[in-house]
Amino acid sequence: MALTRLSAPGLAHLPPGTAQAIAPLDEALGLPARYYTDSSIFAAETERIFRTEWVPVARADELATGGDYVTARVGGEPVVVLRDPCGGLRALSNVCLHRGMVMLDGAGNASAVQCSYHQWSYGLDGVLRQAPYMGSSSRFDRRSVCLPGFQVAEWNGWVMVNLDPAAAPPGDRLAGLEWLCAPYGVERYRIAARISAAAPWNWKLTVENFAESYHHAGTHPKTLEPLFPARGSRAADNGGEPWFHLDHVPSVPGLGPFVAVGAFPLLLFSVGPFGAVWFRLEPVAADQSRLDIVLLENPERASTPQAIEALVASISAINDEDTRVIEQTQAGMSSRAYRPGRLSRLEKARWQFHRYLVDHLSRAGR
Ligand code: FES
Ligand SMILES: [Fe+2]
Protein backbone atom coordinates (compact mmCIF):
# COMPACT_ATOMS: atom_id res chain seq x y z
CA MET A 1 0.00 0.00 0.00
CA ALA A 2 2.04 2.93 -1.25
CA LEU A 3 1.39 6.35 0.20
CA THR A 4 -0.05 7.95 -2.90
CA ARG A 5 -2.82 9.84 -1.19
CA LEU A 6 -0.83 12.43 0.66
CA SER A 7 -1.60 15.77 -0.86
CA ALA A 8 -2.08 19.27 0.44
CA PRO A 9 -5.90 19.40 0.00
CA GLY A 10 -6.27 16.19 2.03
CA LEU A 11 -4.42 17.85 4.90
CA ALA A 12 -6.62 20.94 5.09
CA HIS A 13 -8.66 19.65 8.04
CA LEU A 14 -5.59 18.46 9.97
CA PRO A 15 -3.56 20.62 12.39
CA PRO A 16 -1.15 23.19 10.90
CA GLY A 17 2.31 21.68 10.67
CA THR A 18 1.07 18.26 9.49
CA ALA A 19 2.67 18.67 6.04
CA GLN A 20 6.12 19.07 7.63
CA ALA A 21 5.72 15.76 9.45
CA ILE A 22 5.37 13.87 6.16
CA ALA A 23 8.13 15.72 4.29
CA PRO A 24 11.17 13.63 3.27
CA LEU A 25 12.99 12.29 6.33
CA ASP A 26 15.92 14.68 6.14
CA GLU A 27 13.52 17.67 6.21
CA ALA A 28 10.71 16.25 8.39
CA LEU A 29 9.59 17.57 11.75
CA GLY A 30 7.68 15.68 14.43
CA LEU A 31 3.88 15.74 14.59
CA PRO A 32 2.35 18.94 16.00
CA ALA A 33 1.58 18.71 19.72
CA ARG A 34 -2.20 18.69 19.15
CA TYR A 35 -1.88 15.10 17.90
CA TYR A 36 -1.12 14.09 21.48
CA THR A 37 -3.68 16.17 23.37
CA ASP A 38 -6.71 16.91 21.20
CA SER A 39 -9.74 14.68 21.77
CA SER A 40 -11.10 15.47 18.28
CA ILE A 41 -7.95 13.95 16.77
CA PHE A 42 -8.33 10.92 19.03
CA ALA A 43 -11.94 10.62 17.81
CA ALA A 44 -10.73 10.78 14.18
CA GLU A 45 -8.09 8.11 14.87
CA THR A 46 -10.76 5.93 16.44
CA GLU A 47 -13.02 6.28 13.42
CA ARG A 48 -10.47 6.07 10.61
CA ILE A 49 -7.80 3.84 12.12
CA PHE A 50 -8.89 1.74 15.10
CA ARG A 51 -12.29 0.92 13.58
CA THR A 52 -10.91 0.01 10.15
CA GLU A 53 -7.56 -1.64 10.90
CA TRP A 54 -6.55 -4.99 12.40
CA VAL A 55 -5.98 -4.69 16.13
CA PRO A 56 -4.27 -7.44 18.19
CA VAL A 57 -6.27 -8.50 21.26
CA ALA A 58 -4.85 -11.85 22.38
CA ARG A 59 -2.42 -14.65 21.66
CA ALA A 60 -3.80 -17.90 20.29
CA ASP A 61 -2.63 -19.84 23.36
CA GLU A 62 -4.99 -17.73 25.50
CA LEU A 63 -7.83 -19.21 23.43
CA ALA A 64 -6.66 -22.81 23.25
CA THR A 65 -9.86 -24.66 24.19
CA GLY A 66 -13.58 -24.25 23.58
CA GLY A 67 -15.06 -21.54 25.81
CA ASP A 68 -11.78 -19.67 26.37
CA TYR A 69 -12.36 -15.94 26.02
CA VAL A 70 -10.49 -12.63 26.18
CA THR A 71 -12.18 -9.23 26.36
CA ALA A 72 -10.85 -6.02 24.83
CA ARG A 73 -11.85 -2.59 23.55
CA VAL A 74 -11.32 -2.19 19.83
CA GLY A 75 -11.89 1.32 18.57
CA GLY A 76 -13.72 1.92 21.86
CA GLU A 77 -16.04 -1.03 21.15
CA PRO A 78 -16.33 -3.69 23.91
CA VAL A 79 -15.45 -6.99 22.22
CA VAL A 80 -15.16 -10.57 23.44
CA VAL A 81 -12.95 -12.92 21.43
CA LEU A 82 -13.56 -16.60 22.08
CA ARG A 83 -12.89 -20.13 20.93
CA ASP A 84 -16.16 -21.84 20.06
CA PRO A 85 -16.78 -25.55 20.75
CA CYS A 86 -15.97 -26.42 17.11
CA GLY A 87 -12.53 -24.85 17.41
CA GLY A 88 -13.31 -21.65 15.50
CA LEU A 89 -12.42 -18.16 16.62
CA ARG A 90 -15.20 -15.62 17.07
CA ALA A 91 -15.24 -11.94 17.91
CA LEU A 92 -18.58 -10.80 19.32
CA SER A 93 -19.93 -7.59 20.73
CA ASN A 94 -19.61 -7.72 24.52
CA VAL A 95 -22.61 -5.41 24.97
CA CYS A 96 -25.86 -6.98 26.19
CA LEU A 97 -28.80 -6.48 23.84
CA HIS A 98 -31.19 -5.95 26.75
CA ARG A 99 -30.04 -2.72 28.45
CA GLY A 100 -26.53 -2.43 27.09
CA MET A 101 -24.36 -3.58 29.94
CA VAL A 102 -20.79 -4.66 29.10
CA MET A 103 -20.94 -8.32 30.10
CA LEU A 104 -17.64 -10.16 30.41
CA ASP A 105 -14.47 -8.77 31.90
CA GLY A 106 -10.84 -9.86 31.70
CA ALA A 107 -10.30 -13.39 30.40
CA GLY A 108 -11.50 -16.87 31.32
CA ASN A 109 -13.51 -19.87 30.17
CA ALA A 110 -17.30 -19.90 29.88
CA SER A 111 -19.96 -22.05 28.27
CA ALA A 112 -22.10 -18.99 27.57
CA VAL A 113 -21.84 -15.21 27.48
CA GLN A 114 -23.97 -14.32 30.47
CA CYS A 115 -25.05 -10.86 31.48
CA SER A 116 -25.18 -10.54 35.26
CA TYR A 117 -27.62 -7.60 35.23
CA HIS A 118 -30.87 -9.50 34.42
CA GLN A 119 -29.25 -12.82 33.44
CA TRP A 120 -29.78 -12.84 29.70
CA SER A 121 -27.50 -15.56 28.41
CA TYR A 122 -26.05 -15.90 24.90
CA GLY A 123 -24.48 -18.98 23.30
CA LEU A 124 -20.87 -18.84 22.13
CA ASP A 125 -22.31 -18.19 18.66
CA GLY A 126 -23.88 -14.98 20.01
CA VAL A 127 -27.52 -16.16 19.84
CA LEU A 128 -29.68 -15.42 22.89
CA ARG A 129 -30.48 -18.69 24.68
CA GLN A 130 -32.11 -17.63 27.91
CA ALA A 131 -33.92 -14.52 29.07
CA PRO A 132 -35.73 -14.95 32.40
CA TYR A 133 -39.38 -13.88 32.62
CA MET A 134 -39.49 -12.84 28.97
CA GLY A 135 -41.97 -15.57 27.99
CA SER A 136 -41.69 -17.40 24.72
CA SER A 137 -44.49 -15.94 22.66
CA SER A 138 -43.98 -15.08 19.02
CA ARG A 139 -43.70 -11.47 20.17
CA PHE A 140 -40.29 -12.27 21.67
CA ASP A 141 -38.26 -14.58 19.48
CA ARG A 142 -34.99 -15.26 21.32
CA ARG A 143 -33.29 -16.61 18.22
CA SER A 144 -33.66 -13.26 16.50
CA VAL A 145 -31.56 -11.63 19.22
CA CYS A 146 -27.88 -12.13 18.36
CA LEU A 147 -24.72 -10.34 19.43
CA PRO A 148 -23.13 -8.71 16.37
CA GLY A 149 -19.92 -10.38 15.21
CA PHE A 150 -16.72 -8.82 13.91
CA GLN A 151 -13.89 -10.03 11.69
CA VAL A 152 -11.28 -12.06 13.56
CA ALA A 153 -8.09 -13.63 12.20
CA GLU A 154 -4.83 -15.07 13.44
CA TRP A 155 -1.49 -13.67 12.28
CA ASN A 156 1.70 -15.25 13.61
CA GLY A 157 -0.15 -16.33 16.76
CA TRP A 158 -1.76 -12.95 17.39
CA VAL A 159 -5.56 -12.98 17.43
CA MET A 160 -6.58 -9.81 15.66
CA VAL A 161 -9.95 -8.11 15.31
CA ASN A 162 -11.18 -5.72 12.64
CA LEU A 163 -14.51 -3.88 13.01
CA ASP A 164 -14.62 -3.24 9.25
CA PRO A 165 -16.46 -6.15 7.61
CA ALA A 166 -14.83 -5.33 4.25
CA ALA A 167 -11.21 -5.32 5.47
CA ALA A 168 -8.78 -7.67 3.71
CA PRO A 169 -7.05 -10.31 5.90
CA PRO A 170 -4.12 -9.03 8.01
CA GLY A 171 -1.64 -11.24 6.15
CA ASP A 172 -2.29 -9.29 2.95
CA ARG A 173 -1.09 -6.07 4.52
CA LEU A 174 1.73 -7.55 6.55
CA ALA A 175 3.26 -9.81 3.90
CA GLY A 176 6.46 -7.76 4.16
CA LEU A 177 7.00 -9.06 7.72
CA GLU A 178 6.50 -12.78 7.00
CA TRP A 179 10.13 -13.54 6.12
CA LEU A 180 11.15 -11.93 9.40
CA CYS A 181 8.75 -13.89 11.65
CA ALA A 182 8.90 -17.26 9.87
CA PRO A 183 12.42 -18.39 10.93
CA TYR A 184 11.53 -17.92 14.61
CA GLY A 185 8.22 -19.79 14.42
CA VAL A 186 6.59 -16.86 16.24
CA GLU A 187 3.14 -18.39 15.74
CA ARG A 188 4.08 -21.14 18.23
CA TYR A 189 5.38 -18.81 20.95
CA ARG A 190 3.42 -19.02 24.21
CA ILE A 191 2.76 -16.55 26.96
CA ALA A 192 5.25 -16.96 29.81
CA ALA A 193 4.58 -13.81 31.85
CA ARG A 194 2.66 -10.56 31.76
CA ILE A 195 3.48 -7.16 33.25
CA SER A 196 0.76 -4.53 33.59
CA ALA A 197 2.18 -1.05 33.24
CA ALA A 198 0.72 2.42 33.66
CA ALA A 199 0.49 4.40 30.43
CA PRO A 200 -1.05 7.82 31.19
CA TRP A 201 -0.21 9.25 27.78
CA ASN A 202 -1.27 9.31 24.15
CA TRP A 203 -0.89 5.91 22.46
CA LYS A 204 1.36 7.32 19.73
CA LEU A 205 4.10 8.09 22.26
CA THR A 206 4.44 4.36 22.97
CA VAL A 207 4.56 3.53 19.25
CA GLU A 208 7.14 6.25 18.59
CA ASN A 209 9.31 5.26 21.55
CA PHE A 210 9.20 1.63 20.41
CA ALA A 211 10.07 2.62 16.83
CA GLU A 212 13.46 4.11 17.63
CA SER A 213 16.52 3.13 19.62
CA TYR A 214 17.97 6.64 19.34
CA HIS A 215 16.92 7.02 22.99
CA HIS A 216 18.97 4.06 24.27
CA ALA A 217 21.99 6.18 25.23
CA GLY A 218 19.95 8.82 27.08
CA THR A 219 17.18 6.69 28.59
CA HIS A 220 18.74 3.25 29.03
CA PRO A 221 22.45 4.03 29.59
CA LYS A 222 23.04 1.01 31.87
CA THR A 223 20.50 -1.44 30.50
CA LEU A 224 20.00 -1.44 26.71
CA GLU A 225 22.71 0.92 25.47
CA PRO A 226 25.67 -1.32 26.48
CA LEU A 227 24.11 -4.26 24.60
CA PHE A 228 22.25 -2.62 21.71
CA PRO A 229 23.72 0.84 21.22
CA ALA A 230 21.66 3.56 19.58
CA ARG A 231 24.18 3.97 16.76
CA GLY A 232 23.80 0.28 15.77
CA SER A 233 20.06 0.45 15.06
CA ARG A 234 18.66 0.62 11.56
CA ALA A 235 15.08 0.78 10.28
CA ALA A 236 14.24 -1.07 7.07
CA ASP A 237 12.62 0.67 4.11
CA ASN A 238 8.93 -0.23 4.21
CA GLY A 239 8.00 1.05 0.75
CA GLY A 240 5.04 2.88 2.27
CA GLU A 241 3.57 -0.33 3.73
CA PRO A 242 1.98 -0.30 7.22
CA TRP A 243 4.86 -1.75 9.24
CA PHE A 244 8.42 -1.20 10.39
CA HIS A 245 11.26 -3.27 11.66
CA LEU A 246 14.21 -1.92 13.51
CA ASP A 247 17.31 -4.10 13.46
CA HIS A 248 20.13 -3.83 15.99
CA VAL A 249 23.79 -4.65 15.79
CA PRO A 250 24.69 -5.98 19.26
CA SER A 251 27.91 -4.70 20.81
CA VAL A 252 28.58 -7.96 22.66
CA PRO A 253 29.84 -10.87 20.51
CA GLY A 254 27.51 -13.87 20.56
CA LEU A 255 24.45 -11.86 21.56
CA GLY A 256 21.57 -12.90 19.31
CA PRO A 257 19.79 -10.56 16.92
CA PHE A 258 17.25 -8.17 18.37
CA VAL A 259 14.53 -6.83 16.12
CA ALA A 260 11.76 -4.43 17.11
CA VAL A 261 8.72 -4.88 14.88
CA GLY A 262 5.60 -2.79 14.44
CA ALA A 263 2.47 -3.49 12.40
CA PHE A 264 0.51 -0.25 12.39
CA PRO A 265 -1.38 0.89 14.21
CA LEU A 266 -1.02 -1.17 17.41
CA LEU A 267 0.96 -4.40 17.12
CA LEU A 268 4.40 -3.88 18.69
CA PHE A 269 6.83 -6.66 19.54
CA SER A 270 10.51 -7.43 19.72
CA VAL A 271 11.63 -10.87 18.68
CA GLY A 272 14.67 -13.10 18.90
CA PRO A 273 15.42 -16.82 19.24
CA PHE A 274 14.68 -16.57 23.01
CA GLY A 275 11.10 -15.58 22.36
CA ALA A 276 9.34 -12.27 21.98
CA VAL A 277 8.07 -9.35 24.01
CA TRP A 278 4.67 -8.04 22.96
CA PHE A 279 3.61 -4.53 23.99
CA ARG A 280 -0.15 -4.90 24.13
CA LEU A 281 -1.28 -1.32 23.75
CA GLU A 282 -4.89 -0.14 24.05
CA PRO A 283 -5.68 3.54 23.40
CA VAL A 284 -8.23 4.91 25.89
CA ALA A 285 -8.30 8.69 25.34
CA ALA A 286 -6.10 11.42 23.89
CA ASP A 287 -3.93 11.35 27.02
CA GLN A 288 -4.59 7.83 28.32
CA SER A 289 -3.64 4.31 27.24
CA ARG A 290 -3.46 0.83 28.72
CA LEU A 291 -0.30 -1.23 28.36
CA ASP A 292 0.45 -4.88 29.11
CA ILE A 293 3.91 -6.19 28.41
CA VAL A 294 3.57 -9.85 27.49
CA LEU A 295 6.58 -12.13 27.49
CA LEU A 296 6.32 -14.87 24.84
CA GLU A 297 8.44 -17.97 25.06
CA ASN A 298 9.70 -20.25 22.33
CA PRO A 299 8.32 -23.66 23.43
CA GLU A 300 11.38 -25.36 21.96
CA ARG A 301 13.65 -23.30 24.21
CA ALA A 302 11.51 -23.09 27.33
CA SER A 303 13.12 -21.18 30.20
CA THR A 304 13.21 -22.08 33.87
CA PRO A 305 10.87 -20.16 36.21
CA GLN A 306 13.96 -18.43 37.64
CA ALA A 307 15.06 -17.29 34.18
CA ILE A 308 11.55 -15.97 33.44
CA GLU A 309 11.54 -14.13 36.77
CA ALA A 310 14.90 -12.52 35.96
CA LEU A 311 13.68 -11.52 32.48
CA VAL A 312 10.50 -9.98 33.94
CA ALA A 313 12.62 -7.98 36.40
CA SER A 314 14.89 -6.64 33.68
CA ILE A 315 12.00 -5.81 31.29
CA SER A 316 10.20 -4.02 34.16
CA ALA A 317 13.33 -1.99 34.93
CA ILE A 318 13.72 -0.99 31.27
CA ASN A 319 10.02 -0.14 31.06
CA ASP A 320 10.33 2.06 34.16
CA GLU A 321 13.06 3.99 32.34
CA ASP A 322 10.77 4.41 29.31
CA THR A 323 7.79 5.37 31.50
CA ARG A 324 9.69 8.28 33.03
CA VAL A 325 10.59 9.83 29.66
CA ILE A 326 7.23 9.17 27.98
CA GLU A 327 5.31 10.64 30.91
CA GLN A 328 7.41 13.79 30.74
CA THR A 329 6.99 13.96 26.95
CA GLN A 330 3.20 13.86 27.35
CA ALA A 331 3.57 16.70 29.88
CA GLY A 332 5.52 18.70 27.28
CA MET A 333 2.78 18.32 24.67
CA SER A 334 0.64 20.86 26.55
CA SER A 335 3.39 23.49 26.41
CA ARG A 336 2.66 26.53 24.25
CA ALA A 337 6.40 27.02 23.75
CA TYR A 338 6.99 23.59 22.18
CA ARG A 339 7.61 23.32 18.43
CA PRO A 340 8.19 19.86 16.91
CA GLY A 341 11.86 19.17 16.27
CA ARG A 342 13.77 17.63 13.37
CA LEU A 343 14.16 13.86 13.27
CA SER A 344 17.44 11.98 13.53
CA ARG A 345 18.27 9.45 10.82
CA LEU A 346 17.81 6.92 13.65
CA GLU A 347 14.10 7.88 13.77
CA LYS A 348 13.17 6.63 10.34
CA ALA A 349 10.55 4.16 11.64
CA ARG A 350 8.99 6.96 13.72
CA TRP A 351 8.72 8.98 10.51
CA GLN A 352 7.21 5.96 8.70
CA PHE A 353 4.57 5.82 11.45
CA HIS A 354 3.76 9.53 11.05
CA ARG A 355 3.28 9.04 7.31
CA TYR A 356 0.96 6.07 7.93
CA LEU A 357 -1.06 8.06 10.46
CA VAL A 358 -1.45 11.18 8.33
CA ASP A 359 -2.31 9.08 5.29
CA HIS A 360 -5.25 7.53 7.18
CA LEU A 361 -6.43 10.74 8.81
CA SER A 362 -6.26 12.66 5.54
CA ARG A 363 -8.71 10.32 3.84
CA ALA A 364 -11.68 12.19 5.29
CA GLY A 365 -10.56 15.34 3.51
CA ARG A 366 -10.59 13.83 0.05
S1 FES B 1 -28.62 -5.55 30.61
FE1 FES B 1 -28.05 -7.57 30.22
S2 FES B 1 -29.72 -8.73 30.95
FE2 FES B 1 -30.33 -6.70 31.29
FE1 LIG C 1 13.11 2.42 25.62
Side-chain angles (χ1 to χ4, degrees), residues 269-285:
F269 61 98
S270 55
V271 64
F274 61 93
V277 182
W278 170 31
F279 284 67
R280 186 186 185 282
L281 177 63
E282 203 171 278
V284 175

Side-chain angles (χ1 to χ4, degrees), residues 169-258:
D172 290 8
R173 308 190 64 224
L174 303 179
L177 294 176
E178 282 303 342
W179 68 272
L180 197 151
C181 295
Y184 297 119
V186 178
E187 76 281 0
R188 295 193 305 276
Y189 286 9
R190 293 187 306 232
I191 295 179
R194 189 188 296 263
I195 305 160
S196 282
W201 51 71
N202 185 279
W203 67 282
K204 295 189 289 298
L205 292 182
T206 289
V207 179
E208 294 185 35
N209 184 64
F210 194 83
E212 51 92 358
S213 296
Y214 181 33
H215 73 282
H216 281 190
T219 306
H220 308 296
K222 296 188 178 145
T223 49
L224 285 173
E225 177 67 11
L227 304 175
F228 302 104
R231 66 174 185 283
S233 64
R234 196 187 67 84
D237 288 328
N238 69 359
E241 291 184 7
W243 49 260
F244 68 83
H245 62 90
L246 187 61
D247 307 292
H248 298 77
V249 179
S251 61
V252 178
L255 206 60
F258 169 65

Side-chain angles (χ1 to χ4, degrees), residues 198-349:
W201 51 71
N202 185 279
W203 67 282
K204 295 189 289 298
L205 292 182
T206 289
V207 179
E208 294 185 35
N209 184 64
F210 194 83
E212 51 92 358
S213 296
Y214 181 33
H215 73 282
H216 281 190
T219 306
H220 308 296
K222 296 188 178 145
T223 49
L224 285 173
E225 177 67 11
L227 304 175
F228 302 104
R231 66 174 185 283
S233 64
R234 196 187 67 84
D237 288 328
N238 69 359
E241 291 184 7
W243 49 260
F244 68 83
H245 62 90
L246 187 61
D247 307 292
H248 298 77
V249 179
S251 61
V252 178
L255 206 60
F258 169 65
V259 189
V261 185
F264 302 139
L266 290 172
L267 177 55
L268 305 172
F269 61 98
S270 55
V271 64
F274 61 93
V277 182
W278 170 31
F279 284 67
R280 186 186 185 282
L281 177 63
E282 203 171 278
V284 175
D287 59 355
Q288 202 63 231
S289 308
R290 267 190 286 271
L291 181 65
D292 284 319
I293 303 172
V294 186
L295 186 59
L296 305 176
E297 160 177 271
N298 181 344
E300 281 139 37
R301 300 174 66 165
S303 306
T304 63
Q306 292 81 358
I308 297 282
E309 210 174 302
L311 206 47
V312 165
S314 82
I315 291 168
S316 296
I318 292 167
N319 188 62
D320 288 348
E321 294 169 341
D322 282 318
T323 296
R324 189 182 57 79
V325 296
I326 301 175
E327 238 169 353
Q328 292 310 314
T329 305
Q330 181 70 43
M333 292 301 103
S334 299
S335 157
R336 292 187 185 185
Y338 171 65
R339 301 284 177 276
R342 288 284 293 273
L343 278 68
S344 155
R345 66 176 177 80
L346 297 176
E347 294 175 280
K348 184 162 95 178

Side-chain angles (χ1 to χ4, degrees), residues 75-223:
E77 196 65 52
V79 171
V80 54
V81 180
L82 55 85
R83 182 77 61 187
D84 71 23
C86 302
L89 279 173
R90 281 177 190 267
L92 300 172
S93 167
N94 191 17
V95 178
C96 181
L97 292 169
H98 176 224
R99 293 255 292 275
M101 184 175 128
V102 177
M103 296 179 284
L104 298 177
D105 190 25
N109 185 280
S111 55
V113 178
Q114 169 121 32
C115 180
S116 60
Y117 200 170
H118 312 92
Q119 295 182 305
W120 282 26
S121 179
Y122 305 83
L124 298 182
D125 55 0
V127 177
L128 183 64
R129 298 276 189 256
Q130 286 171 11
Y133 306 111
M134 292 296 293
S136 57
S137 74
S138 56
R139 294 202 187 152
F140 181 67
D141 177 11
R142 285 189 188 87
R143 284 162 306 174
S144 69
V145 179
C146 186
L147 299 170
F150 307 111
Q151 282 215 78
V152 60
E154 202 179 315
W155 183 82
N156 275 292
W158 277 280
V159 176
M160 303 181 78
V161 169
N162 196 318
L163 301 186
D164 177 1
D172 290 8
R173 308 190 64 224
L174 303 179
L177 294 176
E178 282 303 342
W179 68 272
L180 197 151
C181 295
Y184 297 119
V186 178
E187 76 281 0
R188 295 193 305 276
Y189 286 9
R190 293 187 306 232
I191 295 179
R194 189 188 296 263
I195 305 160
S196 282
W201 51 71
N202 185 279
W203 67 282
K204 295 189 289 298
L205 292 182
T206 289
V207 179
E208 294 185 35
N209 184 64
F210 194 83
E212 51 92 358
S213 296
Y214 181 33
H215 73 282
H216 281 190
T219 306
H220 308 296
K222 296 188 178 145
T223 49

